[in-house]
């Protein structure tokens, strides 16, 4: 492999040494202004005023589908692929696509990961743990179906699924249909003599899928149900479990309590025991890495595991390349190297990155190509503001926006950094709750945070680039093809908790921006990957030749 030349050429016109603030508004797309567009409904004077710069200083870019390495343009964007593209400046085939390809070619069955777990098929049970939906953000139902089928054809005689219900990347209530679909497959397998069942479950936000170590009790609840076979609710089958638990007041798919499926004698049908194989079938890392640690680390002190079964464990992908976690996996993750963060740091750009816990890894780990830690400790500082835990964010829609903004303002004014890079989570995290009123409050809070950052940029004569990773808060209702809100059986609108397919804004400005800089009009459908070269230019550098092209040009003024 050729060694990397890390030296970036100077930009022909743009100077070095300006402080550049890169602000990512999480879940902040552009959509028509109506009552379900929370960004429109909210008072957002600062981000609104950025639009006045269009078309030279404000524009839209694609943040979904093939523009961010997803299988098709029907796939909404998400944080992982969005921040990967923003940071890497190139489009990499992402987890969903890589798993599709490995399944289509059959390579998944040949590779080391599958052959490793297969060793347990003779005597042990194959457990599959993950998010059961067709959201395509963390996992996909059709992939799970193919894994179950493929494993049974290759010798798995006893299969247990540990499902996590979604309602966040898909409509709330859709869990019932997904359980029905997979139950049909499992029933067919049973007819063929394979002992295949769902063994446990729970809502993704309450069971297993925490991220960035915000709340280990979430992972523990899953461990108790999946590994120990213990949960507060016991049912004879998963369909009854999901239907019954959803009938509770205020229940929703995201937060269903943990349950186990029991036999006639009340015994759990599928605890994980010595000699079993386990696959976590999410391809996306952030919400699986904590469980992967619990399953794989011999020394683990985040909660009492009570019993640590000797298993053969593989992830759908490797979730953390630095930690090599898990050590076995079915499909190799995208190899994202030479990210803009690494280039800039190696070219002397002193970098500050900040968000609150729930999005901290987005502007560090995802931004840096799924790599944890610093490139150069002497030039970087990453600050994590602790998020609230144990609440749904519609209860505190302002989240830590103010604290993030204050830390960022201080970092800008300190003069110690050339780049400050932040993520403001409000539009996304509150948008996912489906609470429209709270999401409006959230958008206002994010806008106020942007103001504080832009004011600081103003003070130091710096430059800002404000963008987003994908849509969410700008559309909170499911729509038909004509764009009209859809109603459910009871006549209420169908709330959209998920991300959207909408484009996102990119705005540039600030007193340090060279007066001749403007957005080019010759790039037809730019996407998030075009932002990295743009940011490099704003720091006075040209981007590497294989990066997606910059969004800006400099004209005589
Ligand atoms: O993990 C989540 O919260 C959602 O599935 C996707 O949201 P994100 O991509 O914005 O993190
Ligand atoms: Mn996001
Ligand atoms: Mn989101």
């Amino acid at each position: 492999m050729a060694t990397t030349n890390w030296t970036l050429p100077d930009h022909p016109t743009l100077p070095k040494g300006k402080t550049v603030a890169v602000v990512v508004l999480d879940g902040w797309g552009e959509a028509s202004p109506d009552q379900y567009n929370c960004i429109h409904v909210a008072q957002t004077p600062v981000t609104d005023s950025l639009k006045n710069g269009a078309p030279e200083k404000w524009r839209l870019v694609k943040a979904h589908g093939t523009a961010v390495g997803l299988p098709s343009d029907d796939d909404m964007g998400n944080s992982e692929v969005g921040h990967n593209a923003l940071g890497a400046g190139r489009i990499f085939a992402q987890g969903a696509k890589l798993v599709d390809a490995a399944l289509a070619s059959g390579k998944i069955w040949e590779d080391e990961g599958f052959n490793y777990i297969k060793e347990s098929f003779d005597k042990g049970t194959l457990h599959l743990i993950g998010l059961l939906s067709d959201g395509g953000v963390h996992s996909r139902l059709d992939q799970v179906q193919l894994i179950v089928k493929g494993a049974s054809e290759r010798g798995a005689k006893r299969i247990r699924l540990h499902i996590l219900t979604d309602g966040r990347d898909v409509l709330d209530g859709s869990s019932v249909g997904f359980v029905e679909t997979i139950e049909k497959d499992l029933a067919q397998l049973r007819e063929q003599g394979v002992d295949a069942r769902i063994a446990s479950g729970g809502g993704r936000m309450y069971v297993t899928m925490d991220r960035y170590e915000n709340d280990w009790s979430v992972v523990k609840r899953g461990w108790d149900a999946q590994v120990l076979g213990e949960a507060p609710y016991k049912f004879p089958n998963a369909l009854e479990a999901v239907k019954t638990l959803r009938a509770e007041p205020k229940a929703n798919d995201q937060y269903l309590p943990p349950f186990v499926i029991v036999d006639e004698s009340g015994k759990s049908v599928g605890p994980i025991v010595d000699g079993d194989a386990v696959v976590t079938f999410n391809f996306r890392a952030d919400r699986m890495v904590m469980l992967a640690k619990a399953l794989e680390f011999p020394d683990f002190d985040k909660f009492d595991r009570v019993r640590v079964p000797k298993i053969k464990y593989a992830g759908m992908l490797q979730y953390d390349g630095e930690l090599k976690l898990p050590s076995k996996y079915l499909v190799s993750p995208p190899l994202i190297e030479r990210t803009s963060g690494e280039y800039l740091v190696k070219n002397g750009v002193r970098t500050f990155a900040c968000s609150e816990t729930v999005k901290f890894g987005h502007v560090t780990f995802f931004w840096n190509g799924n790599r944890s830690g610093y490139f150069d400790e002497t030039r970087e500082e990453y600050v994590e503001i602790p998020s609230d835990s144990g609440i749904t964010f519609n209860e505190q829609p302002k989240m830590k926006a103010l604290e993030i903004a204050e830390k960022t303002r201080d970092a800008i004014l300190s003069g110690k950094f050339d780049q400050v890079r932040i993520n403001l989570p409000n539009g996304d995290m509150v948008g996912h709750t489906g609470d429209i009123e709270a999401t409006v409050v959230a958008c206002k809070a994010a806008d106020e945070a942007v103001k504080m950052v832009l004011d600081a940029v103003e003070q130091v004569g710096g430059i800002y680039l404000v963008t987003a990773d994908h849509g969410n808060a700008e559309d909170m209702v499911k729509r038909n093809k004509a764009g009209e809100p859809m109603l459910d059986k009871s006549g209420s609108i169908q709330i959209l908790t998920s991300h959207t397919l909408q484009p996102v804004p990119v705005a540039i400005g600030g007193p340090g921006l060279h007066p001749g800089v403007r957005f080019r009009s010759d790039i037809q459908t730019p996407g998030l990957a075009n932002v990295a070269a743009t940011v490099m230019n704003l720091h006075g550098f040209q981007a590497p030749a294989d990066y997606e092209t910059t969004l800006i040009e400099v004209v005589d003024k």
Side-chain angles (χ1 to χ4, degrees):
M1 214 169 81
T3 49
T4 304
N5 172 13
W6 288 104
T7 310
L8 292 172
D10 293 342
H11 191 276
T13 349
L14 296 177
K16 299 198 171 45
K18 302 282 180 192
T19 307
V20 179
V22 180
V23 178
V24 181
L25 291 154
D26 211 295
W28 193 280
E30 181 70 11
S32 45
D34 70 7
Q35 59 182 312
Y36 304 113
N37 179 336
C38 293
I39 302 171
H40 163 70
V41 175
Q43 301 264 322
T44 50
V46 180
T47 45
D48 288 351
S49 73
L50 298 177
K51 287 188 192 176
N52 299 335
E56 299 200 342
K57 303 281 167 55
W58 185 95
R59 68 161 302 157
L60 295 173
V61 296
K62 266 183 81 178
H64 78 286
T66 50
V68 285
L70 293 171
S72 88
D73 281 344
D74 295 331
D75 295 305
M76 61 197 173
N78 69 70
S79 289
E80 175 187 44
V81 300
H83 287 78
N84 278 171
L86 285 165
R90 287 148 296 159
I91 302 164
F92 291 87
Q94 290 284 353
K97 204 166 165 176
L98 297 170
V99 174
D100 283 345
L103 283 165
S105 67
K107 191 166 179 299
I108 196 165
W109 315 117
E110 314 296 321
D111 282 351
E112 194 196 332
F114 183 74
N115 280 299
Y116 172 70
I117 57 160
K118 204 170 132 188
E119 291 168 21
S120 303
F121 288 0
D122 232 7
K123 298 206 181 79
T125 301
L126 167 64
H127 298 265
L128 300 168
I129 309 176
L131 183 66
L132 193 76
S133 85
D134 64 2
V137 173
H138 295 269
S139 65
R140 268 207 350 253
L141 175 67
D142 59 323
Q143 295 177 348
V144 181
Q145 292 178 287
L146 290 174
I147 300 264
V148 169
K149 183 165 174 281
S152 69
E153 286 166 0
R154 289 166 181 80
K157 300 189 205 58
R158 197 164 181 273
I159 300 177
R160 292 292 180 263
L161 256 77
H162 302 267
I163 62 164
L164 302 162
T165 54
D166 191 345
R168 187 172 176 91
D169 301 325
V170 290
L171 292 188
D172 183 43
S174 57
S175 59
V176 175
F178 297 129
V179 170
E180 280 169 347
T181 303
I182 200 79
E183 283 288 25
K184 267 193 210 131
D185 288 16
L186 299 178
Q188 262 184 17
L189 284 181
R190 287 196 294 272
E191 274 169 30
Q192 295 160 19
V194 181
D195 172 10
R197 306 188 60 170
I198 295 178
S200 78
R204 55 176 285 175
M205 297 301 284
Y206 192 62
V207 179
T208 300
M209 281 174 61
D210 187 46
R211 68 176 158 208
Y212 306 139
E213 311 209 354
N214 196 39
D215 186 357
W216 275 102
S217 67
V218 175
V219 185
K220 178 180 174 356
R221 273 179 217 116
W223 182 272
D224 291 350
Q226 296 143 2
V227 179
L228 307 180
E230 290 164 11
Y233 294 92
K234 299 181 173 52
F235 290 95
N237 64 69
L239 198 56
E240 192 177 321
V242 170
K243 283 186 173 166
T244 310
L245 294 171
R246 278 193 53 80
E248 293 293 310
K250 291 202 173 156
N252 62 46
D253 288 349
Q254 295 192 53
Y255 284 90
L256 290 190
F259 60 85
V260 289
I261 306 306
V262 292
D263 60 20
E264 297 77 37
S265 66
K267 245 177 76 206
S268 149
V269 301
I272 301 175
V273 299
D274 287 355
D276 286 352
V278 176
V279 169
T280 47
F281 58 76
N282 286 17
F283 40 75
R284 176 161 148 178
D286 59 347
R287 294 189 184 275
M288 260 307 138
V289 82
M290 292 166 74
L291 174 58
K293 285 181 181 170
L295 287 168
E296 188 147 304
F297 284 172
D299 299 314
F300 174 88
D301 57 4
K302 302 300 181 183
F303 59 83
D304 180 4
R305 291 181 290 183
V306 181
R307 184 168 61 73
V308 187
K310 290 187 193 59
I311 53 168
K312 296 213 185 302
Y313 166 47
M316 184 70 111
L317 260 68
Q318 185 165 63
Y319 300 128
D320 189 322
E322 297 296 294
L323 297 175
K324 304 261 180 288
L325 183 75
S327 56
K328 298 285 194 287
Y329 45 90
L330 302 187
V331 177
S332 298
L335 185 63
I336 306 178
E337 24 63 270
R338 297 190 301 105
T339 60
S340 61
E342 185 162 14
Y343 269 111
L344 288 171
V345 167
K346 291 200 156 89
N347 283 271
V349 170
R350 299 161 304 163
T351 304
F352 171 90
C354 177
S355 190
E356 61 173 282
T357 310
V358 292
K359 298 285 181 183
F360 175 68
H362 291 34
V363 277
T364 54
F365 180 80
F366 286 153
W367 192 277
N368 293 334
N370 305 336
R371 183 185 188 283
S372 26
Y374 293 117
F375 295 112
D376 179 347
E377 266 174 66
T378 64
R379 290 186 181 150
E380 289 171 282
E381 187 179 338
Y382 296 170
V383 174
E384 175 185 345
I385 315 269
S387 284
D388 292 320
S389 60
I391 61 160
T392 58
F393 286 101
N394 54 337
E395 293 169 45
Q396 297 285 352
K398 295 184 179 172
M399 301 182 67
K400 304 295 178 206
L402 180 64
E403 290 83 345
I404 296 168
E406 283 172 349
K407 279 270 187 279
T408 309
R409 174 201 59 199
D410 295 348
I412 292 170
L413 298 182
S414 73
K416 289 199 299 204
F417 300 101
D418 305 296
Q419 179 178 117
V420 299
R421 179 170 80 226
I422 66 170
N423 176 299
L424 294 167
N426 308 63
D428 184 66
M429 292 301 287
V430 188
H432 279 303
T433 67
D435 182 334
I436 291 182
E437 248 171 75
T439 308
V440 170
V441 177
C443 292
K444 181 168 185 282
D447 192 75
E448 285 164 0
V450 174
K451 178 173 183 350
M452 189 176 283
V453 174
L454 298 199
D455 284 350
V457 167
E458 189 72 29
Q459 275 190 55
V460 300
I463 302 172
Y464 62 77
L465 183 145
V466 179
T467 189
D469 60 340
H470 52 76
N472 185 339
E474 81 288 355
D475 198 6
M476 298 290 288
V477 70
K478 185 167 166 61
R479 295 175 191 271
N480 62 19
K481 287 224 166 77
E484 295 147 354
M486 286 168 71
L487 305 180
D488 62 19
K489 284 184 208 128
S490 66
S492 339
I493 57 144
Q494 291 198 46
I495 293 285
L496 190 74
T497 51
S498 71
H499 300 167
T500 68
L501 302 173
Q502 296 300 125
V504 299
V506 183
I508 49 171
L513 188 67
H514 184 292
V517 168
R518 65 176 188 194
F519 283 135
R520 294 161 57 172
S521 55
D522 60 336
I523 318 173
Q524 291 316 317
T525 45
L528 290 176
N530 296 84
V531 169
T534 311
V535 172
M536 285 172 156
N537 292 169
L538 298 176
H539 282 290
F541 296 104
Q542 286 183 56
D546 62 341
Y547 270 44
E548 293 294 321
T549 178
T550 178
L551 295 169
I552 57 174
E553 62 187 358
V554 190
V555 293
D556 283 341
K557 271 249 166 106

